[in-house]
Coordinates of all heavy atoms in Angstrom, one line a residue:
I1 N 0.8 -1.2 -0.1 CA 0.0 0.0 0.0 C 0.9 1.3 -0.1 O 1.8 1.3 0.8 CB -0.9 0.0 1.2 CG1 -1.9 -1.2 1.2 CG2 -1.7 1.3 1.3 CD1 -2.7 -1.3 2.5
A2 N 0.6 2.1 -0.9 CA 1.3 3.4 -0.9 C 0.4 4.5 -0.4 O -0.8 4.5 -0.8 CB 1.8 3.8 -2.3
V3 N 0.8 5.3 0.6 CA 0.1 6.4 1.2 C 0.7 7.8 0.8 O 1.9 7.9 1.2 CB -0.1 6.2 2.7 CG1 -0.9 7.4 3.2 CG2 -0.6 4.9 3.0
M4 N 0.1 8.5 0.0 CA 0.5 9.8 -0.4 C -0.1 10.9 0.4 O -1.3 11.3 0.2 CB 0.3 10.0 -1.9 CG 1.1 8.9 -2.7 SD 1.0 9.2 -4.5 CE -0.8 9.0 -4.8
L5 N 0.7 11.5 1.3 CA 0.2 12.6 2.3 C 1.2 13.7 2.3 O 2.4 13.4 2.3 CB -0.1 12.0 3.6 CG -1.2 10.9 3.8 CD1 -1.1 10.3 5.2 CD2 -2.5 11.5 3.4
P6 N 0.7 14.9 2.6 CA 1.7 16.0 2.7 C 2.4 16.1 4.1 O 1.6 16.0 5.1 CB 0.9 17.3 2.4 CG -0.5 16.9 2.8 CD -0.6 15.4 2.5
L7 N 3.6 16.2 4.1 CA 4.3 16.3 5.4 C 4.4 17.8 5.9 O 4.7 18.1 7.0 CB 5.7 15.8 5.4 CG 5.8 14.2 5.2 CD1 7.2 13.7 5.2 CD2 4.9 13.5 6.3
N8 N 4.3 18.7 4.8 CA 4.4 20.1 5.2 C 3.2 20.8 4.5 O 2.5 20.3 3.7 CB 5.6 20.7 4.5 CG 6.9 20.0 5.0 OD1 7.2 20.1 6.2 ND2 7.6 19.3 4.1
G9 N 2.9 22.1 5.0 CA 1.9 22.9 4.4 C 0.6 22.8 5.3 O 0.6 22.2 6.3
P10 N -0.5 23.4 4.7 CA -1.7 23.6 5.5 C -2.4 22.3 5.7 O -3.3 22.2 6.6 CB -2.6 24.5 4.6 CG -2.0 24.5 3.3 CD -0.5 24.1 3.4
L11 N -2.1 21.2 5.0 CA -2.9 19.9 5.2 C -2.0 19.0 6.0 O -2.4 17.8 6.2 CB -3.3 19.4 3.9 CG -4.2 20.1 3.0 CD1 -4.4 19.5 1.6 CD2 -5.6 20.2 3.8
A12 N -0.9 19.4 6.5 CA 0.1 18.4 7.2 C -0.6 17.9 8.5 O -0.4 16.7 8.8 CB 1.3 19.2 7.5
A13 N -1.3 18.7 9.2 CA -2.0 18.3 10.5 C -3.0 17.2 10.2 O -3.1 16.1 10.8 CB -2.6 19.4 11.2
A14 N -3.9 17.4 9.1 CA -4.8 16.4 8.8 C -4.1 15.2 8.2 O -4.6 14.1 8.5 CB -5.8 17.0 7.7
A15 N -3.1 15.3 7.5 CA -2.4 14.2 7.0 C -1.8 13.4 8.1 O -1.7 12.1 8.1 CB -1.2 14.6 6.1
G16 N -1.3 14.1 9.2 CA -0.7 13.4 10.4 C -1.8 12.5 11.0 O -1.6 11.4 11.5
A17 N -3.0 13.0 11.1 CA -4.1 12.3 11.7 C -4.4 11.0 10.9 O -4.7 9.9 11.5 CB -5.4 13.1 11.8
V18 N -4.4 11.1 9.5 CA -4.6 9.9 8.6 C -3.6 9.0 8.8 O -3.8 7.8 9.1 CB -4.8 10.4 7.2 CG1 -4.9 9.2 6.3 CG2 -6.1 11.3 7.0
R19 N -2.4 9.4 8.9 CA -1.2 8.6 9.0 C -1.3 7.9 10.3 O -1.1 6.7 10.5 CB 0.1 9.3 8.9 CG 1.3 8.5 9.0 CD 2.6 9.3 9.4 NE 2.5 10.1 10.6 CZ 2.6 11.3 10.7 NH1 2.7 12.1 9.6 NH2 2.4 11.8 11.9
D20 N -1.5 8.5 11.4 CA -1.6 8.0 12.8 C -2.7 6.9 12.8 O -2.6 5.9 13.4 CB -1.8 9.1 13.8 CG -0.6 9.9 14.0 OD1 0.5 9.7 13.4 OD2 -0.8 11.0 14.7
G21 N -3.8 7.3 12.2 CA -4.9 6.2 12.2 C -4.5 4.9 11.5 O -4.8 3.9 11.9
L22 N -3.9 5.0 10.3 CA -3.4 3.9 9.6 C -2.5 3.1 10.4 O -2.5 1.9 10.4 CB -2.9 4.4 8.2 CG -3.8 4.9 7.1 CD1 -3.0 5.4 6.0 CD2 -4.6 3.7 6.6
M23 N -1.6 3.8 11.0 CA -0.5 3.1 11.7 C -1.1 2.5 13.0 O -0.6 1.3 13.4 CB 0.6 4.0 12.1 CG 1.5 4.4 10.8 SD 1.8 3.2 9.6 CE 3.0 2.1 10.6
T24 N -2.0 3.1 13.6 CA -2.7 2.4 14.8 C -3.4 1.1 14.4 O -3.3 0.1 15.1 CB -3.7 3.4 15.4 OG1 -3.0 4.5 15.9 CG2 -4.5 2.7 16.6
A25 N -4.1 1.2 13.2 CA -4.8 0.0 12.7 C -3.7 -1.1 12.4 O -4.0 -2.2 12.6 CB -5.6 0.3 11.6
Y26 N -2.7 -0.6 11.7 CA -1.6 -1.6 11.3 C -1.1 -2.4 12.5 O -1.0 -3.6 12.5 CB -0.5 -0.7 10.6 CG 0.7 -1.5 10.2 CD1 0.8 -2.2 8.9 CD2 1.8 -1.7 11.0 CE1 1.9 -3.0 8.6 CE2 2.9 -2.5 10.7 CZ 2.9 -3.1 9.4 OH 4.0 -3.8 9.1
Y27 N -0.6 -1.6 13.5 CA 0.0 -2.2 14.7 C -1.0 -3.0 15.6 O -0.6 -4.0 16.1 CB 0.7 -1.2 15.6 CG 2.1 -0.7 15.0 CD1 2.2 0.5 14.4 CD2 3.1 -1.7 14.7 CE1 3.4 0.9 13.8 CE2 4.2 -1.4 14.0 CZ 4.4 0.0 13.6 OH 5.5 0.3 13.0
S28 N -2.2 -2.6 15.6 CA -3.3 -3.4 16.3 C -3.4 -4.7 15.6 O -3.4 -5.8 16.3 CB -4.6 -2.7 16.3 OG -5.6 -3.4 16.7
A29 N -3.5 -4.7 14.3 CA -3.7 -6.0 13.5 C -2.4 -6.9 13.7 O -2.5 -8.1 13.8 CB -3.9 -5.7 12.0
L30 N -1.3 -6.2 13.6 CA 0.0 -7.0 13.8 C 0.1 -7.7 15.1 O 0.5 -8.8 15.3 CB 1.2 -6.0 13.5 CG 2.5 -6.7 13.5 CD1 2.7 -7.5 12.2 CD2 3.6 -5.5 13.5
S31 N -0.4 -6.8 16.2 CA -0.2 -7.5 17.5 C -1.2 -8.5 17.8 O -1.1 -9.4 18.6 CB -0.4 -6.4 18.6 OG -1.8 -5.9 18.6
Q32 N -2.3 -8.6 16.9 CA -3.2 -9.7 17.1 C -3.0 -10.8 16.2 O -3.8 -11.8 16.1 CB -4.7 -9.2 16.9 CG -5.1 -8.1 17.8 CD -6.4 -7.4 17.5 OE1 -7.3 -8.1 17.1 NE2 -6.6 -6.2 17.8
G33 N -1.9 -10.8 15.5 CA -1.5 -11.9 14.6 C -2.0 -11.9 13.2 O -1.9 -12.9 12.5
Y34 N -2.7 -10.9 12.8 CA -3.3 -10.7 11.5 C -2.2 -10.4 10.5 O -1.3 -9.7 10.8 CB -4.4 -9.6 11.4 CG -5.6 -10.0 12.3 CD1 -5.9 -9.3 13.4 CD2 -6.5 -11.0 11.8 CE1 -7.1 -9.7 14.1 CE2 -7.6 -11.4 12.5 CZ -7.9 -10.7 13.6 OH -9.0 -11.0 14.4
P35 N -2.3 -10.8 9.2 CA -1.4 -10.5 8.2 C -1.6 -9.0 7.9 O -2.7 -8.5 7.9 CB -1.8 -11.4 7.0 CG -3.2 -11.7 7.2 CD -3.4 -11.8 8.7
V36 N -0.5 -8.3 7.7 CA -0.5 -6.9 7.4 C 0.3 -6.6 6.2 O 1.3 -7.3 5.9 CB 0.1 -6.1 8.6 CG1 -0.9 -6.1 9.8 CG2 1.4 -6.4 9.0
P37 N -0.2 -5.6 5.3 CA 0.6 -5.3 4.1 C 1.7 -4.5 4.4 O 1.8 -3.7 5.5 CB -0.4 -4.6 3.3 CG -1.3 -3.9 4.4 CD -1.4 -4.9 5.5
E38 N 2.7 -4.3 3.5 CA 3.7 -3.4 3.6 C 3.1 -2.0 3.3 O 2.3 -1.9 2.3 CB 4.9 -3.7 2.7 CG 5.9 -2.6 2.7 CD 7.1 -2.9 1.7 OE1 6.9 -3.8 0.8 OE2 8.1 -2.2 1.7
I39 N 3.4 -1.0 4.1 CA 3.0 0.5 3.8 C 4.1 1.3 3.5 O 5.0 1.4 4.3 CB 2.1 0.9 5.0 CG1 0.9 -0.1 5.3 CG2 1.6 2.3 4.7 CD1 0.1 0.4 6.5
L40 N 4.0 2.0 2.4 CA 5.1 2.9 2.0 C 4.4 4.4 2.0 O 3.3 4.5 1.4 CB 5.6 2.6 0.7 CG 6.3 1.3 0.5 CD1 6.6 1.0 -1.0 CD2 7.5 1.1 1.4
F41 N 5.0 5.2 2.7 CA 4.6 6.6 2.7 C 5.3 7.5 1.8 O 6.6 7.4 1.7 CB 4.7 7.3 4.2 CG 3.6 6.6 5.1 CD1 3.9 5.5 5.8 CD2 2.4 7.1 5.2 CE1 3.0 4.9 6.6 CE2 1.5 6.7 6.1 CZ 1.8 5.5 6.8
Y42 N 4.6 8.3 1.1 CA 5.2 9.3 0.1 C 4.7 10.8 0.5 O 3.6 10.9 0.8 CB 4.8 9.0 -1.4 CG 5.3 7.7 -1.8 CD1 4.7 6.5 -1.6 CD2 6.5 7.7 -2.6 CE1 5.1 5.3 -2.1 CE2 7.0 6.4 -3.0 CZ 6.3 5.3 -2.7 OH 6.8 4.0 -3.3
D43 N 5.7 11.7 0.6 CA 5.4 13.1 0.9 C 4.8 13.8 -0.3 O 5.6 14.1 -1.3 CB 6.6 13.7 1.4 CG 6.4 15.2 1.8 OD1 5.2 15.7 1.8 OD2 7.4 15.9 2.1
S44 N 3.6 13.9 -0.3 CA 2.9 14.6 -1.5 C 3.2 16.2 -1.6 O 2.9 16.8 -2.6 CB 1.5 14.4 -1.6 OG 0.8 14.9 -0.5
S45 N 3.9 16.7 -0.6 CA 4.2 18.1 -0.7 C 5.6 18.3 -1.2 O 6.0 19.4 -1.5 CB 4.2 18.8 0.7 OG 5.0 18.2 1.6
S46 N 6.3 17.2 -1.5 CA 7.7 17.3 -2.1 C 7.9 17.0 -3.5 O 9.0 17.3 -4.0 CB 8.6 16.3 -1.2 OG 8.3 15.0 -1.7
D47 N 6.8 16.5 -4.1 CA 7.1 16.2 -5.6 C 5.7 16.2 -6.4 O 4.6 16.2 -5.7 CB 7.6 14.8 -5.7 CG 8.3 14.4 -7.0 OD1 8.2 15.3 -8.0 OD2 8.9 13.4 -7.2
D48 N 5.8 16.2 -7.6 CA 4.6 16.2 -8.4 C 3.8 14.8 -8.2 O 4.4 13.8 -8.1 CB 4.9 16.2 -9.9 CG 3.8 16.1 -10.9 OD1 3.0 17.0 -10.9 OD2 3.7 15.1 -11.5
I49 N 2.5 15.0 -8.0 CA 1.6 13.8 -7.6 C 1.7 12.7 -8.7 O 1.8 11.5 -8.3 CB 0.2 14.2 -7.4 CG1 -0.5 13.2 -6.6 CG2 -0.5 14.5 -8.6 CD1 0.0 13.0 -5.2
I50 N 1.9 13.1 -10.0 CA 2.0 12.0 -11.0 C 3.3 11.2 -10.8 O 3.4 10.0 -11.0 CB 1.9 12.6 -12.4 CG1 0.6 13.4 -12.6 CG2 2.0 11.5 -13.5 CD1 -0.7 12.5 -12.4
N51 N 4.4 12.0 -10.6 CA 5.7 11.3 -10.3 C 5.6 10.4 -9.1 O 6.1 9.3 -9.1 CB 6.9 12.3 -10.1 CG 7.1 13.1 -11.4 OD1 6.9 12.6 -12.5 ND2 7.7 14.3 -11.2
L52 N 5.1 10.8 -8.0 CA 4.9 10.1 -6.8 C 4.0 8.8 -7.1 O 4.4 7.7 -6.6 CB 4.2 10.9 -5.7 CG 5.1 11.9 -5.1 CD1 4.3 12.7 -4.0 CD2 6.3 11.3 -4.5
Y53 N 2.9 9.0 -7.9 CA 2.0 7.8 -8.2 C 2.9 6.8 -9.0 O 2.9 5.6 -8.7 CB 0.9 8.3 -9.0 CG -0.2 7.2 -9.1 CD1 -1.2 7.1 -8.2 CD2 -0.1 6.3 -10.2 CE1 -2.2 6.1 -8.4 CE2 -1.1 5.3 -10.3 CZ -2.1 5.2 -9.4 OH -3.1 4.3 -9.5
N54 N 3.6 7.3 -10.0 CA 4.5 6.3 -10.8 C 5.6 5.7 -10.0 O 5.8 4.5 -10.1 CB 5.1 7.1 -12.0 CG 4.1 7.5 -13.0 OD1 3.0 6.9 -13.1 ND2 4.3 8.6 -13.7
Q55 N 6.2 6.4 -9.0 CA 7.2 5.8 -8.1 C 6.6 4.7 -7.3 O 7.1 3.6 -7.1 CB 7.7 6.8 -7.2 CG 8.7 7.8 -7.8 CD 9.1 8.9 -6.8 OE1 9.1 8.7 -5.6 NE2 9.5 10.0 -7.3
A56 N 5.3 5.0 -6.7 CA 4.6 4.0 -5.9 C 4.3 2.7 -6.6 O 4.5 1.6 -6.2 CB 3.4 4.6 -5.3
T57 N 3.7 2.9 -7.9 CA 3.4 1.7 -8.6 C 4.7 1.0 -9.1 O 4.7 -0.2 -9.2 CB 2.4 2.1 -9.8 OG1 3.0 3.1 -10.6 CG2 1.1 2.5 -9.3
S58 N 5.7 1.7 -9.4 CA 7.0 1.0 -9.8 C 7.5 0.2 -8.7 O 8.2 -0.8 -8.8 CB 8.0 2.0 -10.3 OG 7.6 2.6 -11.5
A59 N 7.3 0.8 -7.4 CA 7.8 0.0 -6.2 C 6.9 -1.2 -5.8 O 7.1 -1.9 -4.9 CB 7.9 1.0 -5.0
G60 N 5.8 -1.3 -6.6 CA 4.9 -2.6 -6.4 C 3.7 -2.3 -5.6 O 3.0 -3.2 -5.2
A61 N 3.3 -1.1 -5.4 CA 2.1 -0.8 -4.7 C 0.9 -1.2 -5.5 O 0.8 -1.0 -6.7 CB 2.0 0.8 -4.4
Q62 N 0.1 -2.0 -4.8 CA -1.1 -2.5 -5.4 C -2.4 -1.7 -5.0 O -3.5 -2.0 -5.5 CB -1.3 -3.9 -5.0 CG -0.2 -4.8 -5.5 CD -0.3 -6.3 -5.1 OE1 -1.2 -6.6 -4.3 NE2 0.6 -7.1 -5.6
L63 N -2.3 -0.8 -4.1 CA -3.3 0.1 -3.6 C -2.7 1.5 -3.3 O -1.7 1.5 -2.6 CB -4.0 -0.4 -2.4 CG -5.1 0.4 -1.7 CD1 -6.2 0.7 -2.6 CD2 -5.5 -0.2 -0.4
I64 N -3.3 2.5 -3.7 CA -2.8 3.9 -3.5 C -3.8 4.6 -2.6 O -5.0 4.6 -2.9 CB -2.6 4.7 -4.7 CG1 -1.8 3.9 -5.7 CG2 -2.0 6.1 -4.4 CD1 -0.3 3.7 -5.4
I65 N -3.4 5.2 -1.5 CA -4.2 6.0 -0.6 C -3.7 7.4 -0.7 O -2.5 7.7 -0.4 CB -4.3 5.5 0.8 CG1 -4.9 4.1 0.9 CG2 -5.1 6.5 1.7 CD1 -4.8 3.5 2.2
G66 N -4.6 8.4 -1.2 CA -4.1 9.8 -1.3 C -4.3 10.2 -2.8 O -4.6 9.3 -3.6
P67 N -4.1 11.3 -3.0 CA -3.6 12.5 -2.2 C -4.8 13.0 -1.3 O -5.9 12.8 -1.6 CB -3.1 13.4 -3.2 CG -3.9 13.2 -4.4 CD -4.3 11.8 -4.4
L68 N -4.3 13.9 -0.4 CA -5.2 14.7 0.4 C -5.7 16.0 -0.2 O -6.8 16.4 0.0 CB -4.6 14.8 1.8 CG -5.4 15.4 2.9 CD1 -6.7 14.6 3.2 CD2 -4.7 15.5 4.2
D69 N -4.8 16.6 -0.9 CA -5.0 17.9 -1.5 C -6.0 17.7 -2.7 O -5.8 16.8 -3.6 CB -3.6 18.5 -2.0 CG -3.9 19.8 -2.7 OD1 -3.9 20.8 -2.0 OD2 -3.9 19.9 -3.9
K70 N -7.0 18.6 -2.7 CA -8.0 18.5 -3.8 C -7.4 18.7 -5.2 O -7.8 18.0 -6.2 CB -9.1 19.6 -3.5 CG -10.3 19.5 -4.4 CD -11.3 20.5 -4.0 CE -12.6 20.3 -4.5 NZ -13.6 21.2 -4.0
D71 N -6.6 19.7 -5.4 CA -6.0 19.9 -6.8 C -5.1 18.7 -7.3 O -5.1 18.4 -8.4 CB -5.2 21.2 -6.8 CG -6.0 22.4 -6.6 OD1 -7.2 22.3 -7.0 OD2 -5.5 23.5 -6.1
Q72 N -4.3 18.2 -6.3 CA -3.6 17.0 -6.7 C -4.5 15.8 -7.1 O -4.2 15.1 -7.9 CB -2.6 16.6 -5.5 CG -1.5 17.5 -5.2 CD -0.7 17.0 -4.1 OE1 -1.1 16.4 -3.3 NE2 0.6 17.4 -4.1
G73 N -5.6 15.7 -6.3 CA -6.6 14.6 -6.7 C -7.2 14.9 -8.1 O -7.3 13.9 -8.8
K74 N -7.5 16.1 -8.4 CA -8.0 16.3 -9.7 C -7.0 16.1 -10.8 O -7.3 15.5 -11.8 CB -8.4 17.8 -9.8 CG -9.7 18.1 -9.0 CD -10.1 19.5 -9.2 CE -11.3 19.9 -8.5 NZ -11.6 21.4 -8.6
R75 N -5.7 16.4 -10.5 CA -4.7 16.2 -11.5 C -4.5 14.7 -11.7 O -4.3 14.2 -12.8 CB -3.4 16.8 -11.0 CG -2.2 16.7 -12.0 CD -1.2 17.8 -11.7 NE -0.1 17.8 -12.6 CZ 0.5 16.9 -13.3 NH1 0.1 15.7 -13.3 NH2 1.7 17.1 -14.0
L76 N -4.5 13.9 -10.6 CA -4.3 12.5 -10.7 C -5.5 11.9 -11.4 O -5.4 11.0 -12.3 CB -4.2 11.9 -9.3 CG -3.8 10.5 -9.2 CD1 -2.3 10.3 -9.8 CD2 -3.7 10.0 -7.8
A77 N -6.7 12.3 -11.1 CA -7.9 11.7 -11.8 C -8.0 12.1 -13.3 O -8.7 11.4 -14.1 CB -9.2 12.4 -11.1
S78 N -7.3 13.1 -13.7 CA -7.3 13.6 -15.1 C -6.4 12.7 -16.0 O -6.4 12.9 -17.2 CB -6.9 15.1 -15.3 OG -5.5 15.3 -15.0
T79 N -5.5 11.9 -15.4 CA -4.7 11.0 -16.2 C -5.6 9.9 -16.9 O -6.7 9.6 -16.5 CB -3.6 10.3 -15.4 OG1 -4.2 9.5 -14.3 CG2 -2.8 11.3 -14.7
N80 N -5.0 9.4 -17.9 CA -5.8 8.4 -18.8 C -6.1 7.1 -18.0 O -7.1 6.5 -18.1 CB -5.0 8.0 -20.1 CG -5.1 9.2 -21.0 OD1 -5.8 10.1 -20.9 ND2 -3.9 9.2 -21.8
A81 N -5.1 6.6 -17.3 CA -5.4 5.4 -16.6 C -4.5 5.3 -15.3 O -3.4 5.7 -15.3 CB -5.0 4.2 -17.5
L82 N -5.1 4.7 -14.3 CA -4.4 4.5 -13.0 C -4.3 3.0 -12.8 O -5.3 2.3 -12.7 CB -5.2 5.2 -11.9 CG -5.4 6.7 -11.9 CD1 -6.3 7.1 -10.8 CD2 -4.1 7.4 -11.9
P83 N -3.1 2.5 -12.9 CA -2.9 1.1 -12.8 C -3.2 0.4 -11.5 O -3.4 -0.8 -11.5 CB -1.4 0.9 -13.2 CG -0.8 2.2 -12.8 CD -1.8 3.2 -13.1
A84 N -3.3 1.2 -10.4 CA -3.6 0.6 -9.1 C -5.0 1.2 -8.6 O -5.2 2.4 -8.8 CB -2.5 0.7 -8.1
P85 N -5.8 0.5 -7.9 CA -6.9 1.1 -7.3 C -6.4 2.3 -6.4 O -5.5 2.1 -5.7 CB -7.5 -0.1 -6.4 CG -7.0 -1.2 -7.0 CD -5.6 -1.0 -7.6
T86 N -7.2 3.4 -6.4 CA -6.7 4.6 -5.8 C -7.9 5.2 -5.0 O -9.0 5.4 -5.5 CB -6.3 5.6 -6.9 OG1 -5.2 5.0 -7.6 CG2 -5.7 6.9 -6.2
L87 N -7.6 5.5 -3.7 CA -8.5 6.1 -2.8 C -8.1 7.5 -2.5 O -7.1 7.7 -1.7 CB -8.7 5.3 -1.5 CG -9.6 5.9 -0.4 CD1 -11.1 6.0 -1.0 CD2 -9.5 5.1 0.9
A88 N -8.6 8.5 -3.2 CA -8.3 9.9 -3.0 C -9.0 10.3 -1.6 O -10.1 9.9 -1.4 CB -8.7 10.7 -4.2
L89 N -8.3 11.2 -0.9 CA -8.9 11.6 0.3 C -9.5 13.0 0.3 O -9.5 13.6 1.4 CB -7.9 11.5 1.4 CG -7.3 10.0 1.6 CD1 -6.2 10.0 2.6 CD2 -8.3 9.1 2.0
H90 N -9.9 13.6 -0.7 CA -10.4 14.9 -0.7 C -11.9 14.9 -1.1 O -12.4 13.8 -1.5 CB -9.7 15.8 -1.8 CG -9.8 15.3 -3.2 ND1 -9.1 14.2 -3.6 CD2 -10.6 15.7 -4.2 CE1 -9.4 13.9 -4.9 NE2 -10.3 14.9 -5.2
Y91 N -12.5 16.0 -1.1 CA -13.9 16.1 -1.4 C -14.1 16.0 -3.0 O -13.3 16.5 -3.7 CB -14.6 17.3 -1.0 CG -14.8 17.4 0.5 CD1 -13.9 18.0 1.3 CD2 -15.9 16.8 1.1 CE1 -14.1 18.1 2.6 CE2 -16.1 16.7 2.4 CZ -15.1 17.5 3.3 OH -15.3 17.5 4.6

């Protein structure tokens, strides 16, 4: 799973809450013996969202969570095809 969230900027606090929630669920499942996926985090405030998406899928991500920023979500949605299921986190 690739998670694309901003580490800086006005959405950083909301991104931190999303990250903390994901990691809480991850460690809870792990402590109970459930299988857990590998989670890779990408800073969406540091690079172009299309580049990050391509990096994530090249690294083997089979599910993408993010981006949180509305404009980045629109940009990602405007591409011809997204090779992995993608859950954008904006309105």
Side-chain angles (χ1 to χ4, degrees):
I1 297 175
V3 182
M4 299 186 297
L5 297 170
L7 296 180
N8 300 297
L11 296 175
V18 171
R19 182 195 63 238
D20 291 350
L22 286 169
M23 294 312 297
T24 297
Y26 176 90
Y27 285 114
S28 176
L30 188 65
S31 71
Q32 295 176 41
Y34 293 109
V36 292
E38 178 181 9
I39 301 176
L40 301 172
F41 287 90
Y42 294 85
D43 181 7
S44 63
S45 63
S46 70
D47 199 354
D48 176 71
I49 198 66
I50 302 299
N51 290 338
L52 289 176
Y53 191 93
N54 290 335
Q55 287 176 25
T57 55
S58 292
Q62 297 176 354
L63 173 66
I64 310 290
I65 298 174
L68 187 58
D69 179 84
K70 189 177 195 175
D71 290 334
Q72 288 179 333
K74 286 180 182 178
R75 186 160 180 330
L76 193 59
S78 71
T79 61
N80 290 335
L82 299 175
T86 304
L87 175 63
L89 301 174
H90 65 281
Y91 289 97

